[in-house]
Amino acid sequence: MKDSYETLKKNVIDNLQDNSRLIVAIDGCCASGKTTLACRLAADLQADLIHMDDFFLPPALRTPMRYEEPGGNVHYERFRTQIARPLLAARVPDTNNRPAFVKEAGWPVLHWDRFVCADGTFAPDLCHTSGKPLLIIEGCYCMRPEFRPLYDLSFFFRTTGEEQLRRIRLRNGDERLPMFRNKWIPLENRYFSYYHIAEHCHFQIDT
C-alpha cells in the first residue's frame, strides 16, 4: 500500500507542476484501497475530494433493466448534472480543440446530494467542494466513457479476488459478504470489462 500511495502522489505532484489545476480520477475494484489513498492524498495535497459512493443508485432506479446496463449501478444522471457539466463548462478548447485549463485559481465550487447507502436515503445537507486547484474524484464508475473528458490524470486500482473478499469481510462483515460477492462485484467487473476501464486509465496500480 505504501508503494501504491507514493506512486499515486508522485504522479499527481508531477502533473500539478505542469498545470495550474488538475482533476484526478481513481477507479477500480471495491476494497482495493481507493478511498483510503484518495483521502490521504487529498489531505496531503490540500485537494477537494468527491466520492462516487455519494452517487450510488437510489432504490427507485434499481430496476432489472438498469442493472443490465454496463455501469448502470451508479446515479450517473445526477453526477452529470451536479459534477460533470459544471466542470466541463470551466474548460475551454486550446488551439488543437482539446480541453485546456481556464487560467483561474481553482475549479468551480460544486454542490451535490449525498446518498447514504446504509439507509437508502439522502443526507439532509448538501456536500460541497471549496474550488481548490486539485480535485480528486474517487470510486468505481467514475471512469464511465462520458466522464473521461473531465480528467487530466486517472488511476485504476485492482487487487486479487481472494484479498478483495478478505478485505470486504473485515470491512463489512460476514453478513454482507455474499451481497458483494454475488451482486456488487459482478456488476463492477462487467463495467470494467465492457468499457475497458483499466486500459483507459493512465496508470494501473495493484494493491
Side-chain angles (χ1 to χ4, degrees):
M1 186 68 75
K2 179 180 178 182
D3 291 341
S4 298
Y5 178 72
E6 294 303 326
T7 298
L8 181 67
K9 185 177 179 180
K10 181 181 185 304
N11 280 287
V12 171
I13 291 174
D14 288 346
N15 277 269
L16 273 173
Q17 291 175 345
D18 296 330
N19 298 283
S20 59
R21 56 184 186 172
L22 203 71
I23 303 180
V24 176
I26 302 177
D27 204 325
C29 306
C30 64
S32 61
K34 300 185 303 296
T35 303
T36 299
L37 269 67
C39 289
R40 182 179 173 188
L41 186 69
D44 285 352
L45 301 182
Q46 292 79 53
D48 280 321
L49 176 60
I50 297 173
H51 300 287
M52 288 303 293
D53 280 356
D54 292 353
F55 297 88
F56 197 69
L57 198 65
L61 295 180
R62 298 177 191 177
T63 65
M65 183 177 296
R66 182 67 173 228
Y67 283 135
E68 282 297 314
E69 178 185 346
N73 189 31
V74 69
H75 201 175
Y76 55 79
E77 299 92 341
R78 187 163 59 85
F79 184 88
R80 180 187 300 123
T81 300
Q82 296 181 322
I83 306 299
R85 284 178 180 169
L87 291 175
L88 288 172
R91 292 187 182 274
V92 295
D94 66 8
T95 54
N96 295 314
N97 293 318
R98 295 174 299 186
F101 294 116
V102 178
K103 298 301 182 182
E104 297 176 351
W107 295 104
V109 173
L110 305 170
H111 297 85
W112 68 95
D113 303 289
R114 181 173 67 87
F115 183 77
V116 182
C117 297
D119 56 17
T121 63
F122 287 92
D125 299 321
L126 289 176
C127 296
H128 64 87
T129 59
S130 301
K132 295 177 180 178
L134 176 58
L135 172 61
I136 301 168
I137 300 178
E138 169 275 323
C140 189
Y141 306 112
C142 72
M143 279 288 290
R144 282 177 57 96
E146 68 268 38
F147 300 144
R148 289 175 194 162
L150 289 174
Y151 307 120
D152 307 290
L153 189 62
S154 54
F155 297 85
F156 184 85
F157 277 38
R158 61 162 60 90
T159 189
T160 64
E162 182 179 349
E163 178 64 13
Q164 182 182 40
L165 294 178
R166 186 190 71 82
R167 294 177 184 178
I168 292 171
R169 181 180 286 107
L170 289 174
R171 185 185 68 185
N172 302 102
D174 287 329
E175 291 185 358
R176 297 188 63 189
L177 180 62
M179 178 63 76
F180 278 88
R181 181 172 51 207
N182 300 327
K183 186 172 185 178
W184 304 136
I185 292 175
L187 286 172
E188 289 184 359
N189 288 340
R190 184 167 181 239
Y191 154 73
F192 299 147
S193 175
Y194 187 87
Y195 291 119
H196 305 285
I197 299 300
E199 292 84 351
H200 283 283
C201 290
H202 293 98
F203 298 93
Q204 299 180 34
I205 297 179
D206 294 312
T207 63

